[in-house]
Amino acid sequence: MRSMKIDQIKTCSLTEVTNLPVITSPVDSTAGAEGDAVRFEATATDPDVPYDALSASWTSSLDGELHRGSPDSDGSVRFSSSDLRVGTHVI
């Protein structure tokens, strides 16, 4: 069984956000087997911009852009991926 590792979770790029996003999942050094679904989640809010006007982009150092979308009404940005290539990803 080959494994993948999500390491060094650093940033979730969100445009037009004055507050920094908080990545809650996965945590640093999360590892899993090839093909396992990895859940990505962050919170991003800006008191001056409506949630549906915000844009979030998740990028992997190995796989490029993983997801693009807007936070929901509580500021959550979440998705899952089981297509990550084997190796250490910086998100």
Side-chain angles (χ1 to χ4, degrees), residues 5-86:
K5 183 177 181 184
I6 306 297
D7 198 17
Q8 302 174 8
I9 304 297
K10 293 189 178 184
T11 131
C12 166
S13 172
L14 288 109
T15 58
E16 298 185 33
V17 175
T18 56
N19 300 328
L20 292 175
V22 177
I23 297 174
T24 55
S25 180
V27 297
D28 285 346
S29 299
T30 297
E34 182 176 14
D36 281 357
V38 177
R39 181 169 176 80
F40 293 86
E41 186 167 349
T43 301
T45 59
D46 187 321
D48 300 321
V49 179
Y51 71 91
D52 56 352
L54 297 174
S55 175
S57 177
W58 293 76
T59 305
S60 160
S61 59
L62 296 181
D63 290 328
E65 186 171 89
L66 300 174
H67 178 80
R68 180 179 296 269
S70 295
D72 61 19
S73 61
D74 69 356
S76 294
V77 180
R78 57 178 79 88
F79 72 99
S80 293
S81 177
S82 57
D83 297 332
L84 297 173
R85 78 174 73 177
V86 172

